[in-house]
Amino acid sequence: MLMRNLKVFTAYCGTAYHGFQRQENAVGVQNILEEKLSLLTNGDVKINGCSRTDTGVHANEYCFSFETEHSIPCNNIIRGMNSILPDDISILSCEEVPADFHARYSCIAKEYEYLILNRQSKDPFLADRALHYPFKLDIPLIEKAAQDFVGTHDFTSFCGTANLKENTVRTIEYFKVIQNENLVKLIVKGDGFLYNMVRIMVGTLIFINEGKLDAGSIPAIIEAKDRNLAGKTIGAQGLYLNKVFY
């Protein structure tokens, strides 16, 4: 039979998982998807994910691809997988694509969202899905500061040590700050992101909000290429891979 290459979009709540990537001594989202796809197609399925995500990070839209000789229609993959996957993982779409498509290497941009619950009281229904920040957020201040991330820069100051031996130049297309009553969304799109990059960017904006960093300090922090000058790595619970672009 002919080999088929399939492109699948999924969404998941990452609270129970050690990130997306397959783990040997823990459970990643990839472990679950490969197990269920292998069961559905009666074969040994290995998938290619569009990116890694950290423990506790979620996805509104995550893309993976895989090859199979099975003739099962795409609609049946959606229905079949959603009937056997746990409730915190959902298949959104599935389509056949050319053989050279790869979920990671064909990706041209990603959009991340960071969700903040900005009120004094906690919300038990958002405990693992948003950062609870009980202090006042100066939205115009952090929105203006966020624009200093836009453009092509070396983001060494905004990445974990895992990325220090690779190219750390990335292009940020936009960084939006949207408030809807007590929920604040920080939405950033770029051609790629380094390890912990979005969480450090958000943590830096939080430091600016708290007066721990000057409002106009981000360009100098970028220029310095020194992780110690940026803000803290904010919690993973508020981070979502929001969109993937091809």
Side-chain angles (χ1 to χ4, degrees), residues 17-18 21-28 31:
Y17 302 101
H18 288 253
Q21 190 175 22
R22 184 192 311 113
Q23 304 287 327
E24 296 299 328
N25 300 312
V27 180
N31 294 78

Side-chain angles (χ1 to χ4, degrees), residues 174-219:
Y174 55 72
F175 201 132
K176 303 175 183 178
V177 181
I178 301 172
Q179 184 175 26
N180 183 9
E181 296 183 349
N182 294 318
L183 287 176
V184 178
K185 292 182 179 181
L186 291 82
I187 303 174
V188 56
K189 179 182 178 183
D191 62 355
F193 293 89
L194 303 167
Y195 179 60
N196 282 344
M197 179 172 162
V198 177
R199 293 168 60 189
I200 298 170
M201 293 164 83
V202 174
T204 300
L205 294 175
I206 294 294
F207 269 27
I208 289 173
N209 182 77
E210 295 173 349
K212 296 175 181 176
L213 290 171
D214 293 336
S217 62
I218 289 175

Side-chain angles (χ1 to χ4, degrees), residues 121-194:
S121 301
K122 298 183 291 184
D123 185 336
F125 301 104
L126 291 176
D128 297 317
R129 303 183 185 184
L131 173 73
H132 176 227
Y133 188 76
F135 312 106
K136 177 178 173 56
L137 274 176
D138 188 333
I139 301 299
L141 174 69
I142 63 174
E143 185 174 32
K144 182 178 179 181
Q147 304 320 302
D148 288 331
F149 289 121
V150 176
T152 301
H153 308 289
D154 185 327
F155 283 97
T156 296
S157 296
F158 297 89
C159 72
T161 55
N163 281 127
L164 292 182
K165 293 183 179 181
E166 64 180 68
N167 179 17
T168 49
V169 175
R170 297 292 187 273
T171 298
I172 299 301
E173 182 177 332
Y174 55 72
F175 201 132
K176 303 175 183 178
V177 181
I178 301 172
Q179 184 175 26
N180 183 9
E181 296 183 349
N182 294 318
L183 287 176
V184 178
K185 292 182 179 181
L186 291 82
I187 303 174
V188 56
K189 179 182 178 183
D191 62 355
F193 293 89
L194 303 167

Side-chain angles (χ1 to χ4, degrees), residues 4-242:
R4 304 160 66 207
N5 193 24
L6 300 180
K7 172 185 177 185
V8 181
F9 281 102
T10 182
Y12 59 84
C13 174
T15 303
Y17 302 101
H18 288 253
F20 179 84
Q21 190 175 22
R22 184 192 311 113
Q23 304 287 327
E24 296 299 328
N25 300 312
V27 180
V29 177
Q30 185 175 0
N31 294 78
I32 303 298
L33 289 169
E34 290 180 342
E35 174 191 336
K36 302 304 183 184
L37 280 169
S38 296
L39 179 65
L40 190 67
T41 62
N42 194 30
D44 183 19
V45 173
K46 301 299 181 186
I47 67 178
N48 299 306
C50 64
S51 69
R52 300 181 179 184
T53 58
D54 293 341
T55 298
V57 173
H58 317 293
N60 292 321
E61 180 182 278
Y62 186 102
C63 183
F64 67 87
S65 56
F66 72 98
E67 293 184 336
T68 179
E69 293 183 344
H70 202 287
S71 60
I72 181 172
C74 283
N75 283 341
N76 289 355
I77 290 179
I78 298 171
R79 287 195 292 266
M81 285 290 285
N82 283 331
S83 70
I84 58 177
L85 281 168
D87 291 340
D88 51 10
I89 304 176
S90 174
I91 300 300
L92 306 177
S93 67
C94 176
E95 64 175 312
E96 290 196 39
V97 288
D100 62 353
F101 176 85
H102 189 287
R104 178 183 176 186
Y105 300 119
S106 300
C107 180
I108 59 173
K110 299 185 183 78
E111 180 185 273
Y112 279 90
E113 171 184 296
Y114 198 91
L115 184 62
I116 299 175
L117 175 65
N118 187 212
R119 70 181 194 190
Q120 186 173 14
S121 301
K122 298 183 291 184
D123 185 336
F125 301 104
L126 291 176
D128 297 317
R129 303 183 185 184
L131 173 73
H132 176 227
Y133 188 76
F135 312 106
K136 177 178 173 56
L137 274 176
D138 188 333
I139 301 299
L141 174 69
I142 63 174
E143 185 174 32
K144 182 178 179 181
Q147 304 320 302
D148 288 331
F149 289 121
V150 176
T152 301
H153 308 289
D154 185 327
F155 283 97
T156 296
S157 296
F158 297 89
C159 72
T161 55
N163 281 127
L164 292 182
K165 293 183 179 181
E166 64 180 68
N167 179 17
T168 49
V169 175
R170 297 292 187 273
T171 298
I172 299 301
E173 182 177 332
Y174 55 72
F175 201 132
K176 303 175 183 178
V177 181
I178 301 172
Q179 184 175 26
N180 183 9
E181 296 183 349
N182 294 318
L183 287 176
V184 178
K185 292 182 179 181
L186 291 82
I187 303 174
V188 56
K189 179 182 178 183
D191 62 355
F193 293 89
L194 303 167
Y195 179 60
N196 282 344
M197 179 172 162
V198 177
R199 293 168 60 189
I200 298 170
M201 293 164 83
V202 174
T204 300
L205 294 175
I206 294 294
F207 269 27
I208 289 173
N209 182 77
E210 295 173 349
K212 296 175 181 176
L213 290 171
D214 293 336
S217 62
I218 289 175
I221 296 172
I222 292 174
E223 184 67 24
K225 302 178 186 177
D226 184 350
R227 170 67 187 92
N228 295 317
L229 299 181
K232 63 182 178 181
T233 304
I234 208 75
Q237 72 271 33
L239 184 60
Y240 297 73
L241 178 56
N242 203 40

